[in-house]
Amino acid sequence: MEHRAVSFPPRVVAQDLTLALFITVMQVQGTVAKVAIEGAPRPLADLGNLGYALLAVSGLVVAVRRRWPVPVFVTTALASLVYFSLDFPDGPGWLGLFVALYTLTAYGDGRRSLVLAGVGITVLAVGWLVAAADIEPRAAIGWVFFRIGASVMSAALGESVRSRRVIAAEAQDRAELAERTREEEARARVDAERLRIAREVHDTVAHAIAIINIQSGVTAHVLDKRPEVAREALQAIEQTSARALREMRAILGVLRDDDDKRVPYPGLGQIDELTAKARDAGLDISLEQASSPAPVPSAVGSAAYRILQESITNVIRHVGPTRVTVALHPGVDALEIRVTDEGRRGAPGDLAHAHLPAQHPTSTGSSAKPGRGILGMRERCQLLGGELEARPTPGGGFEVRARLPLAPTGSRL
């Protein structure tokens, strides 16, 4: 066992010093009193007061028992062996040894301290029994067995105290770890909720802005020549912006709504309304929707709606008026989604054609990487354990395919 460089509080040092003085007095005075009553074969003053010295040393050394438990135990054990081997009178000269054994196991490191205590007790037992081989009267040998038993009990008591201290420390560590884990999980849930809200806001705003952009372009183009078309475009802008505001309130309402009266998130029931808005924006859109053999979970329905919304928004933003096919095929275990557009039309008569960007999300001349919209759709699929593919078609169009399990794993929506 390594040297303990621990600094103990003055209160602890004072306690150990007081204990050492008490043990020293008890060992010396108790032995003197016993000798005065029963007599002794060898007085404590023999060999230059060696008996007194051994009793005093084994008591005073207890003062540093916490700092050096092993040297203190070795000192008290050697003092006891020498004391009884020289046939000094029996008495309470083992108090310091018992305290040293207790300290060795109570402040030790478990296995090594127990091994050291076991070896020490064995050596002491052999030495005590050899020294008491010719003891008279023979009944006095019972004190030898008392010392052996008390030594074992002192070591066992110290190990019990150490084990309880370790168990308490481990319980405290587990409690702190559990608290940290709960805090980390709470932060993770907050981060996930923020990400979900950010994704919902992005999808809602991007879709509304794309439609408003195309309709405002139409209005600017036909305002003087065809005011009735301009009026319809302005009405579409008003309806789109109003719907976007309602969805924004529903999304952000989770942050401040206390009475739990929230507008439900969009799902498959709003697909017809979504495609109708796309037609108002100039898309020739057809919807292929099969009946579902099983109820679609709300998380899957909401994700499907947002994927369709983002796909249509990309077509409006990057292609303009074109033909789009939306297919929804609910299966037994998954919902399959497909959104395909025919690519940019070159018809010079398109009213809003001149007001649209000239690139598809992944077309050459734009970024080589998919836009945030495609990444957002892929994240939605992955959160539900699904898959998403987005790629150009041979005819110059673009296709988005998604597969959403009806029993999602890891859903946070």
Side-chain angles (χ1 to χ4, degrees), residues 96-135:
L97 174 63
F98 295 163
V99 173
L101 268 170
Y102 166 82
T103 305
L104 175 66
T105 53
Y107 294 92
D109 54 1
R111 183 174 181 179
R112 285 194 301 171
S113 59
L114 282 176
V115 170
L116 183 57
V119 172
I121 292 173
T122 302
V123 173
L124 284 169
V126 172
W128 289 335
L129 290 172
V130 170
D134 55 352
I135 191 172

mmCIF file of all heavy atoms in Angstrom, residues 96-135:
data_model
loop_
_atom_site.group_PDB
_atom_site.id
_atom_site.type_symbol
_atom_site.label_atom_id
_atom_site.label_comp_id
_atom_site.label_asym_id
_atom_site.label_seq_id
_atom_site.Cartn_x
_atom_site.Cartn_y
_atom_site.Cartn_z
ATOM 1 N N GLY A 96 -3.691 -1.214 21.319
ATOM 2 C CA GLY A 96 -3.121 -0.528 20.149
ATOM 3 C C GLY A 96 -3.105 -1.425 18.923
ATOM 4 O O GLY A 96 -3.360 -0.979 17.796
ATOM 5 N N LEU A 97 -2.820 -2.735 19.126
ATOM 6 C CA LEU A 97 -2.810 -3.679 18.004
ATOM 7 C C LEU A 97 -4.197 -3.811 17.389
ATOM 8 O O LEU A 97 -4.344 -3.808 16.158
ATOM 9 C CB LEU A 97 -2.320 -5.040 18.495
ATOM 10 C CG LEU A 97 -2.397 -6.178 17.470
ATOM 11 C CD1 LEU A 97 -1.494 -5.897 16.283
ATOM 12 C CD2 LEU A 97 -2.030 -7.515 18.129
ATOM 13 N N PHE A 98 -5.221 -3.930 18.225
ATOM 14 C CA PHE A 98 -6.577 -4.076 17.691
ATOM 15 C C PHE A 98 -7.005 -2.824 16.909
ATOM 16 O O PHE A 98 -7.627 -2.921 15.846
ATOM 17 C CB PHE A 98 -7.561 -4.332 18.824
ATOM 18 C CG PHE A 98 -7.330 -5.641 19.540
ATOM 19 C CD1 PHE A 98 -7.879 -5.872 20.795
ATOM 20 C CD2 PHE A 98 -6.553 -6.641 18.965
ATOM 21 C CE1 PHE A 98 -7.671 -7.079 21.452
ATOM 22 C CE2 PHE A 98 -6.334 -7.844 19.618
ATOM 23 C CZ PHE A 98 -6.893 -8.054 20.872
ATOM 24 N N VAL A 99 -6.677 -1.634 17.424
ATOM 25 C CA VAL A 99 -7.004 -0.396 16.714
ATOM 26 C C VAL A 99 -6.242 -0.323 15.392
ATOM 27 O O VAL A 99 -6.779 0.104 14.361
ATOM 28 C CB VAL A 99 -6.699 0.826 17.599
ATOM 29 C CG1 VAL A 99 -6.870 2.120 16.799
ATOM 30 C CG2 VAL A 99 -7.606 0.841 18.819
ATOM 31 N N ALA A 100 -4.989 -0.766 15.389
ATOM 32 C CA ALA A 100 -4.188 -0.754 14.155
ATOM 33 C C ALA A 100 -4.768 -1.701 13.112
ATOM 34 O O ALA A 100 -4.809 -1.382 11.912
ATOM 35 C CB ALA A 100 -2.740 -1.130 14.470
ATOM 36 N N LEU A 101 -5.232 -2.896 13.550
ATOM 37 C CA LEU A 101 -5.846 -3.833 12.611
ATOM 38 C C LEU A 101 -7.133 -3.258 12.022
ATOM 39 O O LEU A 101 -7.390 -3.359 10.813
ATOM 40 C CB LEU A 101 -6.151 -5.145 13.336
ATOM 41 C CG LEU A 101 -5.068 -6.224 13.274
ATOM 42 C CD1 LEU A 101 -5.403 -7.357 14.225
ATOM 43 C CD2 LEU A 101 -4.898 -6.729 11.855
ATOM 44 N N TYR A 102 -7.950 -2.656 12.888
ATOM 45 C CA TYR A 102 -9.178 -2.017 12.398
ATOM 46 C C TYR A 102 -8.861 -0.938 11.363
ATOM 47 O O TYR A 102 -9.489 -0.861 10.309
ATOM 48 C CB TYR A 102 -9.951 -1.415 13.572
ATOM 49 C CG TYR A 102 -11.039 -0.457 13.144
ATOM 50 C CD1 TYR A 102 -12.273 -0.915 12.748
ATOM 51 C CD2 TYR A 102 -10.800 0.922 13.119
ATOM 52 C CE1 TYR A 102 -13.270 -0.040 12.339
ATOM 53 C CE2 TYR A 102 -11.785 1.804 12.712
ATOM 54 C CZ TYR A 102 -13.017 1.319 12.332
ATOM 55 O OH TYR A 102 -13.981 2.192 11.925
ATOM 56 N N THR A 103 -7.884 -0.102 11.663
ATOM 57 C CA THR A 103 -7.520 0.991 10.747
ATOM 58 C C THR A 103 -6.988 0.451 9.433
ATOM 59 O O THR A 103 -7.292 0.990 8.357
ATOM 60 C CB THR A 103 -6.466 1.892 11.401
ATOM 61 O OG1 THR A 103 -6.961 2.349 12.665
ATOM 62 C CG2 THR A 103 -6.139 3.081 10.518
ATOM 63 N N LEU A 104 -6.196 -0.634 9.495
ATOM 64 C CA LEU A 104 -5.611 -1.211 8.283
ATOM 65 C C LEU A 104 -6.685 -1.622 7.288
ATOM 66 O O LEU A 104 -6.592 -1.324 6.090
ATOM 67 C CB LEU A 104 -4.753 -2.420 8.656
ATOM 68 C CG LEU A 104 -4.163 -3.220 7.480
ATOM 69 C CD1 LEU A 104 -3.156 -2.379 6.721
ATOM 70 C CD2 LEU A 104 -3.537 -4.514 7.971
ATOM 71 N N THR A 105 -7.735 -2.280 7.765
ATOM 72 C CA THR A 105 -8.782 -2.743 6.845
ATOM 73 C C THR A 105 -9.817 -1.662 6.558
ATOM 74 O O THR A 105 -10.366 -1.601 5.451
ATOM 75 C CB THR A 105 -9.478 -3.983 7.431
ATOM 76 O OG1 THR A 105 -9.926 -3.697 8.766
ATOM 77 C CG2 THR A 105 -8.522 -5.161 7.486
ATOM 78 N N ALA A 106 -10.082 -0.796 7.526
ATOM 79 C CA ALA A 106 -11.095 0.250 7.311
ATOM 80 C C ALA A 106 -10.619 1.302 6.326
ATOM 81 O O ALA A 106 -11.412 1.839 5.540
ATOM 82 C CB ALA A 106 -11.463 0.906 8.639
ATOM 83 N N TYR A 107 -9.323 1.627 6.326
ATOM 84 C CA TYR A 107 -8.787 2.667 5.445
ATOM 85 C C TYR A 107 -7.901 2.087 4.352
ATOM 86 O O TYR A 107 -7.199 2.821 3.668
ATOM 87 C CB TYR A 107 -8.003 3.693 6.267
ATOM 88 C CG TYR A 107 -8.872 4.470 7.216
ATOM 89 C CD1 TYR A 107 -9.062 4.040 8.531
ATOM 90 C CD2 TYR A 107 -9.547 5.609 6.807
ATOM 91 C CE1 TYR A 107 -9.883 4.734 9.406
ATOM 92 C CE2 TYR A 107 -10.368 6.308 7.665
ATOM 93 C CZ TYR A 107 -10.534 5.863 8.963
ATOM 94 O OH TYR A 107 -11.362 6.553 9.816
ATOM 95 N N GLY A 108 -7.945 0.768 4.200
ATOM 96 C CA GLY A 108 -7.154 0.132 3.155
ATOM 97 C C GLY A 108 -7.874 0.112 1.826
ATOM 98 O O GLY A 108 -8.848 0.829 1.605
ATOM 99 N N ASP A 109 -7.402 -0.758 0.937
ATOM 100 C CA ASP A 109 -7.962 -0.821 -0.420
ATOM 101 C C ASP A 109 -8.653 -2.144 -0.681
ATOM 102 O O ASP A 109 -8.759 -2.585 -1.817
ATOM 103 C CB ASP A 109 -6.863 -0.598 -1.457
ATOM 104 C CG ASP A 109 -5.690 -1.549 -1.274
ATOM 105 O OD1 ASP A 109 -5.757 -2.394 -0.351
ATOM 106 O OD2 ASP A 109 -4.716 -1.456 -2.034
ATOM 107 N N GLY A 110 -9.134 -2.800 0.404
ATOM 108 C CA GLY A 110 -9.903 -4.014 0.205
ATOM 109 C C GLY A 110 -9.050 -5.258 0.217
ATOM 110 O O GLY A 110 -8.605 -5.731 1.271
ATOM 111 N N ARG A 111 -8.784 -5.812 -0.947
ATOM 112 C CA ARG A 111 -8.149 -7.125 -1.030
ATOM 113 C C ARG A 111 -6.746 -7.129 -0.445
ATOM 114 O O ARG A 111 -6.403 -8.009 0.350
ATOM 115 C CB ARG A 111 -8.114 -7.568 -2.500
ATOM 116 C CG ARG A 111 -7.544 -8.956 -2.676
ATOM 117 C CD ARG A 111 -7.653 -9.405 -4.112
ATOM 118 N NE ARG A 111 -7.122 -10.749 -4.286
ATOM 119 C CZ ARG A 111 -7.106 -11.393 -5.445
ATOM 120 N NH1 ARG A 111 -7.615 -10.809 -6.516
ATOM 121 N NH2 ARG A 111 -6.602 -12.616 -5.529
ATOM 122 N N ARG A 112 -5.913 -6.171 -0.833
ATOM 123 C CA ARG A 112 -4.529 -6.174 -0.340
ATOM 124 C C ARG A 112 -4.460 -5.982 1.163
ATOM 125 O O ARG A 112 -3.663 -6.618 1.853
ATOM 126 C CB ARG A 112 -3.726 -5.085 -1.057
ATOM 127 C CG ARG A 112 -3.355 -5.435 -2.471
ATOM 128 C CD ARG A 112 -2.291 -4.511 -3.017
ATOM 129 N NE ARG A 112 -2.730 -3.114 -2.996
ATOM 130 C CZ ARG A 112 -1.919 -2.093 -3.258
ATOM 131 N NH1 ARG A 112 -0.644 -2.305 -3.518
ATOM 132 N NH2 ARG A 112 -2.391 -0.858 -3.240
ATOM 133 N N SER A 113 -5.301 -5.076 1.683
ATOM 134 C CA SER A 113 -5.283 -4.853 3.127
ATOM 135 C C SER A 113 -5.782 -6.080 3.877
ATOM 136 O O SER A 113 -5.274 -6.413 4.958
ATOM 137 C CB SER A 113 -6.123 -3.621 3.477
ATOM 138 O OG SER A 113 -7.458 -3.788 3.032
ATOM 139 N N LEU A 114 -6.774 -6.794 3.328
ATOM 140 C CA LEU A 114 -7.254 -8.015 3.967
ATOM 141 C C LEU A 114 -6.188 -9.108 3.945
ATOM 142 O O LEU A 114 -6.018 -9.834 4.934
ATOM 143 C CB LEU A 114 -8.523 -8.518 3.260
ATOM 144 C CG LEU A 114 -9.822 -7.795 3.600
ATOM 145 C CD1 LEU A 114 -10.966 -8.345 2.752
ATOM 146 C CD2 LEU A 114 -10.153 -7.952 5.077
ATOM 147 N N VAL A 115 -5.475 -9.223 2.830
ATOM 148 C CA VAL A 115 -4.386 -10.212 2.760
ATOM 149 C C VAL A 115 -3.303 -9.891 3.784
ATOM 150 O O VAL A 115 -2.806 -10.779 4.500
ATOM 151 C CB VAL A 115 -3.799 -10.257 1.335
ATOM 152 C CG1 VAL A 115 -2.515 -11.085 1.300
ATOM 153 C CG2 VAL A 115 -4.818 -10.833 0.360
ATOM 154 N N LEU A 116 -2.925 -8.611 3.859
ATOM 155 C CA LEU A 116 -1.904 -8.213 4.822
ATOM 156 C C LEU A 116 -2.362 -8.468 6.260
ATOM 157 O O LEU A 116 -1.598 -8.963 7.095
ATOM 158 C CB LEU A 116 -1.575 -6.732 4.623
ATOM 159 C CG LEU A 116 -0.468 -6.155 5.515
ATOM 160 C CD1 LEU A 116 0.823 -6.928 5.347
ATOM 161 C CD2 LEU A 116 -0.245 -4.681 5.194
ATOM 162 N N ALA A 117 -3.639 -8.138 6.533
ATOM 163 C CA ALA A 117 -4.163 -8.384 7.877
ATOM 164 C C ALA A 117 -4.196 -9.877 8.178
ATOM 165 O O ALA A 117 -3.851 -10.310 9.295
ATOM 166 C CB ALA A 117 -5.561 -7.785 8.007
ATOM 167 N N GLY A 118 -4.608 -10.703 7.204
ATOM 168 C CA GLY A 118 -4.640 -12.146 7.419
ATOM 169 C C GLY A 118 -3.276 -12.730 7.688
ATOM 170 O O GLY A 118 -3.088 -13.556 8.599
ATOM 171 N N VAL A 119 -2.282 -12.306 6.904
ATOM 172 C CA VAL A 119 -0.920 -12.788 7.117
ATOM 173 C C VAL A 119 -0.403 -12.342 8.491
ATOM 174 O O VAL A 119 0.207 -13.118 9.238
ATOM 175 C CB VAL A 119 0.014 -12.289 6.000
ATOM 176 C CG1 VAL A 119 1.472 -12.608 6.315
ATOM 177 C CG2 VAL A 119 -0.395 -12.903 4.666
ATOM 178 N N GLY A 120 -0.665 -11.078 8.829
ATOM 179 C CA GLY A 120 -0.212 -10.569 10.124
ATOM 180 C C GLY A 120 -0.842 -11.301 11.291
ATOM 181 O O GLY A 120 -0.159 -11.653 12.273
ATOM 182 N N ILE A 121 -2.160 -11.560 11.218
ATOM 183 C CA ILE A 121 -2.842 -12.273 12.300
ATOM 184 C C ILE A 121 -2.314 -13.700 12.425
ATOM 185 O O ILE A 121 -2.140 -14.230 13.541
ATOM 186 C CB ILE A 121 -4.362 -12.267 12.070
ATOM 187 C CG1 ILE A 121 -4.911 -10.836 12.216
ATOM 188 C CG2 ILE A 121 -5.073 -13.201 13.047
ATOM 189 C CD1 ILE A 121 -6.370 -10.705 11.831
ATOM 190 N N THR A 122 -2.036 -14.333 11.278
ATOM 191 C CA THR A 122 -1.477 -15.693 11.316
ATOM 192 C C THR A 122 -0.121 -15.716 12.011
ATOM 193 O O THR A 122 0.152 -16.582 12.862
ATOM 194 C CB THR A 122 -1.358 -16.242 9.889
ATOM 195 O OG1 THR A 122 -2.649 -16.233 9.255
ATOM 196 C CG2 THR A 122 -0.820 -17.663 9.902
ATOM 197 N N VAL A 123 0.751 -14.782 11.643
ATOM 198 C CA VAL A 123 2.078 -14.709 12.279
ATOM 199 C C VAL A 123 1.945 -14.432 13.774
ATOM 200 O O VAL A 123 2.634 -15.043 14.612
ATOM 201 C CB VAL A 123 2.933 -13.634 11.587
ATOM 202 C CG1 VAL A 123 4.250 -13.422 12.349
ATOM 203 C CG2 VAL A 123 3.216 -14.026 10.150
ATOM 204 N N LEU A 124 1.044 -13.498 14.104
ATOM 205 C CA LEU A 124 0.832 -13.186 15.517
ATOM 206 C C LEU A 124 0.317 -14.408 16.277
ATOM 207 O O LEU A 124 0.769 -14.702 17.404
ATOM 208 C CB LEU A 124 -0.160 -12.035 15.653
ATOM 209 C CG LEU A 124 0.362 -10.629 15.347
ATOM 210 C CD1 LEU A 124 -0.796 -9.652 15.262
ATOM 211 C CD2 LEU A 124 1.356 -10.172 16.408
ATOM 212 N N ALA A 125 -0.650 -15.122 15.700
ATOM 213 C CA ALA A 125 -1.213 -16.291 16.375
ATOM 214 C C ALA A 125 -0.147 -17.347 16.636
ATOM 215 O O ALA A 125 -0.063 -17.917 17.754
ATOM 216 C CB ALA A 125 -2.352 -16.877 15.531
ATOM 217 N N VAL A 126 0.687 -17.596 15.637
ATOM 218 C CA VAL A 126 1.765 -18.583 15.819
ATOM 219 C C VAL A 126 2.731 -18.110 16.899
ATOM 220 O O VAL A 126 3.140 -18.882 17.798
ATOM 221 C CB VAL A 126 2.486 -18.829 14.488
ATOM 222 C CG1 VAL A 126 3.731 -19.710 14.713
ATOM 223 C CG2 VAL A 126 1.548 -19.478 13.482
ATOM 224 N N GLY A 127 3.122 -16.847 16.830
ATOM 225 C CA GLY A 127 4.057 -16.321 17.834
ATOM 226 C C GLY A 127 3.482 -16.355 19.237
ATOM 227 O O GLY A 127 4.177 -16.728 20.201
ATOM 228 N N TRP A 128 2.202 -15.962 19.360
ATOM 229 C CA TRP A 128 1.581 -15.974 20.692
ATOM 230 C C TRP A 128 1.482 -17.402 21.251
ATOM 231 O O TRP A 128 1.730 -17.639 22.434
ATOM 232 C CB TRP A 128 0.184 -15.350 20.628
ATOM 233 C CG TRP A 128 0.205 -13.863 20.421
ATOM 234 C CD1 TRP A 128 1.202 -12.997 20.737
ATOM 235 C CD2 TRP A 128 -0.853 -13.084 19.856
ATOM 236 N NE1 TRP A 128 0.847 -11.713 20.398
ATOM 237 C CE2 TRP A 128 -0.417 -11.731 19.859
ATOM 238 C CE3 TRP A 128 -2.101 -13.370 19.337
ATOM 239 C CZ2 TRP A 128 -1.191 -10.697 19.384
ATOM 240 C CZ3 TRP A 128 -2.885 -12.352 18.869
ATOM 241 C CH2 TRP A 128 -2.439 -11.016 18.888
ATOM 242 N N LEU A 129 1.091 -18.365 20.401
ATOM 243 C CA LEU A 129 0.948 -19.745 20.860
ATOM 244 C C LEU A 129 2.290 -20.347 21.243
ATOM 245 O O LEU A 129 2.385 -21.105 22.238
ATOM 246 C CB LEU A 129 0.266 -20.584 19.780
ATOM 247 C CG LEU A 129 -1.211 -20.286 19.531
ATOM 248 C CD1 LEU A 129 -1.722 -21.045 18.320
ATOM 249 C CD2 LEU A 129 -2.055 -20.633 20.758
ATOM 250 N N VAL A 130 3.322 -20.034 20.465
ATOM 251 C CA VAL A 130 4.658 -20.544 20.808
ATOM 252 C C VAL A 130 5.122 -19.952 22.126
ATOM 253 O O VAL A 130 5.675 -20.652 23.005
ATOM 254 C CB VAL A 130 5.657 -20.228 19.676
ATOM 255 C CG1 VAL A 130 7.087 -20.526 20.117
ATOM 256 C CG2 VAL A 130 5.309 -21.021 18.424
ATOM 257 N N ALA A 131 4.896 -18.637 22.303
ATOM 258 C CA ALA A 131 5.322 -17.993 23.554
ATOM 259 C C ALA A 131 4.552 -18.516 24.751
ATOM 260 O O ALA A 131 5.062 -18.510 25.890
ATOM 261 C CB ALA A 131 5.138 -16.485 23.432
ATOM 262 N N ALA A 132 3.314 -19.001 24.539
ATOM 263 C CA ALA A 132 2.485 -19.492 25.642
ATOM 264 C C ALA A 132 2.555 -20.998 25.791
ATOM 265 O O ALA A 132 1.700 -21.601 26.455
ATOM 266 C CB ALA A 132 1.039 -19.056 25.417
ATOM 267 N N ALA A 133 3.570 -21.646 25.191
ATOM 268 C CA ALA A 133 3.647 -23.109 25.241
ATOM 269 C C ALA A 133 3.786 -23.631 26.665
ATOM 270 O O ALA A 133 3.232 -24.684 27.010
ATOM 271 C CB ALA A 133 4.812 -23.591 24.381
ATOM 272 N N ASP A 134 4.522 -22.924 27.506
ATOM 273 C CA ASP A 134 4.728 -23.397 28.877
ATOM 274 C C ASP A 134 4.059 -22.472 29.905
ATOM 275 O O ASP A 134 4.542 -22.326 31.034
ATOM 276 C CB ASP A 134 6.223 -23.506 29.176
ATOM 277 C CG ASP A 134 6.939 -22.177 28.912
ATOM 278 O OD1 ASP A 134 6.294 -21.247 28.366
ATOM 279 O OD2 ASP A 134 8.142 -22.078 29.250
ATOM 280 N N ILE A 135 2.988 -21.838 29.509
ATOM 281 C CA ILE A 135 2.320 -20.893 30.398
ATOM 282 C C ILE A 135 1.695 -21.611 31.584
ATOM 283 O O ILE A 135 1.192 -22.728 31.462
ATOM 284 C CB ILE A 135 1.245 -20.077 29.621
ATOM 285 C CG1 ILE A 135 0.730 -18.907 30.463
ATOM 286 C CG2 ILE A 135 0.105 -20.977 29.210
ATOM 287 C CD1 ILE A 135 -0.184 -17.964 29.666
#
